[in-house]
Amino acid sequence: MPLQQNMNNSLNFSGGPGALPATVLAQVQEAIICVPEVGLSILGISHRSEWFAEVVRELENNIRRLLGLDQGYHVLFLQGGATQQFSMVPMTLLHGKTEPPEYLHTGYWSGKVLGEARKETKLRVLWSGESDGFHRLPADEELDFSATAPYLHYVSNETVEGLQFHRVLGRDDVPRVCDMSSDFLSKPCEADRFGIIYAHAQKNIGPAGVTVVLIRDELLQDMPDNLPGWLDYRSHIKAHSNYNTPPVFAIYVVLLVTRWLLDDIGGLNAMNTLNQRKAALLYEALDQSDGFYQGRAAMADRSLMNVVFNLATPELEQRFLAASRDAGFSGLSGHRAIGGIRASIYNGLELHAVEKLIDFMLEFQKTR
Ligand SMILES: *Cc1c(COP(=O)(O)O)cnc(C)c1O
């Protein structure tokens, strides 16, 4: 018997876990009962099976192909979310270093990063948008990168405030570490200019439970030797992301998403074109609303993934959200930290859903 479809899933603008492509969901539905080539449910396949080793190999390979990543990098699939990386990065990179690492404080998530990093090290906050309420990102002139920092950390897309860097920051002689959780595989990202990139799956490329980490091999040369096994990247490298029981299901779904990116979408340039189109339409709708809908982020720093906006009053915003739910939309309320409205338009969210949202917004403005 076919399972009942949730008719509104295509209108899910959730900030995360985010909506996944319908074709991927159909494959997942089948795999829950039986992965065709194995004859078992994905939920009961051993992580020590040859089949799963091949899943990990193919996924690693797909990510390398999508990003054009060279062999100098390890590709890992870890648990603990992006949050675990907030700590693992300083635990790994600061051994024997005396200079402080540099961090940017550009929004809610980079604030969380700072909180964890400070437990490991003294650090230098190179720039903070906190006093400004995180409405914009720094320009190059505002950033005085040190040549002697052990690394630079920043968040490429601030998911809560809807701010995204549209360039690579920092110096080529200082390793860049970037949390790309909410824009990974949404566009090409010049991955080989980074020392470490980490991104959990649940915004753009899969369900919660797995975090992709790309790490340049040379950064592991002088790691401390006393880390717990799980917190030592080398354990996971040696075990091919199978050090302890990995999240087999989540990793399989991410594999399906990378196949979709390669075969159906046609790679990251094509994905970027689609994402640009969705974002341009939605921002245009905000900008042409005579101020009824006010974009939160500075124009130059607007995120292609999270379109954050306000209406005149919190009451009007609540009415907008209630009406949007009645119309079949979900996930549009802003993050609890800042309120307002947030339309997250990750890879899996289709253009027609954005068009429907714009129609709804026009209608709401007319009839309120
Ligand atoms: C959602 C989010 C996180 C939190 O990740 P967890 O997997 O829940 O630990 C971290 N960074 C960014 C940029 C996010 O958007």
Side-chain angles (χ1 to χ4, degrees):
M1 193 185 77
L3 298 179
Q4 196 194 327
Q5 292 285 327
N6 175 351
M7 297 307 291
N8 293 333
N9 195 59
S10 67
L11 299 180
N12 183 8
F13 288 78
S14 166
L20 293 175
T23 55
V24 168
L25 293 182
Q27 291 170 280
V28 172
Q29 183 184 24
E30 181 182 19
I32 295 278
I33 304 301
C34 176
V35 175
E37 67 271 25
V38 186
L40 297 172
S41 162
I42 181 65
L43 302 180
I45 297 179
S46 169
H47 62 295
R48 298 293 174 202
S49 62
E50 183 46 41
W51 178 80
F52 183 66
E54 184 50 37
V55 164
V56 171
R57 272 195 295 273
E58 185 188 340
L59 175 53
E60 173 178 337
N61 216 17
N62 286 356
I63 288 175
R64 287 184 186 279
R65 273 173 68 197
L66 284 162
L67 293 172
L69 200 64
D70 68 51
Q71 290 302 321
Y73 287 82
H74 302 284
V75 180
L76 298 174
F77 308 108
L78 306 184
Q79 300 187 68
T83 300
Q84 180 68 83
Q85 299 306 309
F86 301 170
S87 311
M88 272 175 86
V89 165
M91 289 168 95
T92 302
L93 297 184
L94 292 175
H95 189 55
K97 303 285 195 303
T98 48
E99 293 283 312
E102 296 190 313
Y103 280 75
L104 296 191
H105 188 193
T106 49
Y108 179 87
W109 282 114
S110 51
K112 294 281 186 196
V113 178
L114 284 175
E116 291 299 316
R118 282 195 173 109
K119 296 178 189 170
E120 301 298 325
T121 181
K122 278 205 165 60
L123 52 81
R124 178 170 171 235
V125 177
L126 197 57
W127 187 87
S128 174
E130 192 170 24
S131 58
D132 254 0
F134 302 120
H135 286 273
R136 70 174 186 94
L137 295 173
D140 280 334
E141 309 82 76
E142 296 172 274
L143 297 171
D144 184 17
F145 299 108
S146 153
T148 53
Y151 63 88
L152 164 73
H153 183 287
Y154 67 99
V155 174
S156 56
N157 182 67
E158 286 284 3
T159 321
V160 171
E161 292 84 0
L163 295 163
Q164 186 177 31
F165 282 106
H166 300 294
R167 66 189 192 280
V168 172
L169 300 181
R171 310 167 52 102
D172 288 335
D173 54 356
V174 172
R176 301 176 175 95
V177 179
C178 195
D179 177 356
M180 295 194 188
S181 290
S182 53
D183 64 357
F184 189 58
L185 304 187
S186 69
K187 59 179 173 57
C189 73
E190 299 185 82
D192 54 6
R193 298 181 65 191
F194 292 83
I196 298 179
I197 290 173
Y198 60 92
H200 62 200
Q202 70 264 27
K203 303 275 159 62
N204 221 12
I205 57 166
V210 64
T211 298
V212 180
V213 178
L214 314 180
I215 183 163
R216 202 154 65 206
D217 184 67
E218 69 202 35
L219 293 179
L220 302 169
Q221 297 317 314
D222 31 58
M223 279 191 62
D225 279 319
N226 59 352
L227 293 177
W230 204 96
L231 299 178
D232 189 326
Y233 290 114
R234 293 171 302 191
S235 314
H236 300 287
I237 292 167
K238 213 165 136 219
H240 301 283
S241 298
N242 211 331
Y243 175 69
N244 62 333
T245 316
V248 171
F249 173 71
I251 289 174
Y252 182 65
V253 180
V254 177
L255 171 65
L256 296 178
V257 171
T258 60
R259 284 182 185 162
W260 170 81
L261 280 168
L262 285 162
D263 303 337
D264 296 12
I265 298 297
L268 295 187
N269 279 316
M271 190 72 250
N272 188 30
T273 303
L274 290 169
N275 285 331
Q276 298 260 9
R277 179 93 191 107
K278 289 184 288 180
L281 280 180
L282 201 41
Y283 283 118
E284 194 179 288
L286 302 183
D287 294 341
Q288 296 182 351
S289 71
D290 290 328
F292 187 79
Y293 300 109
Q294 292 151 21
R296 190 178 190 284
M299 293 262 187
D301 307 319
R302 284 174 161 182
S303 168
L304 300 183
M305 296 280 101
N306 310 98
V307 178
V308 180
F309 57 96
N310 290 96
L311 281 72
T313 65
E315 293 69 35
L316 191 56
E317 287 170 345
Q318 287 312 312
R319 278 175 44 207
F320 176 89
L321 289 170
S324 77
R325 282 189 289 269
D326 290 345
F329 297 93
S330 62
L332 284 168
S333 42
H335 189 274
R336 59 197 152 79
I338 62 167
I341 316 293
R342 172 174 59 173
S344 296
I345 49 177
Y346 299 126
N347 286 356
L349 199 280
E350 291 182 30
L351 180 66
H352 77 84
V354 171
E355 290 167 347
K356 276 196 163 176
L357 176 61
I358 293 170
D359 287 345
F360 167 79
M361 288 166 65
L362 288 170
E363 198 54 34
F364 182 82
Q365 182 173 359
K366 248 189 270 163
T367 57
R368 77 181 166 104

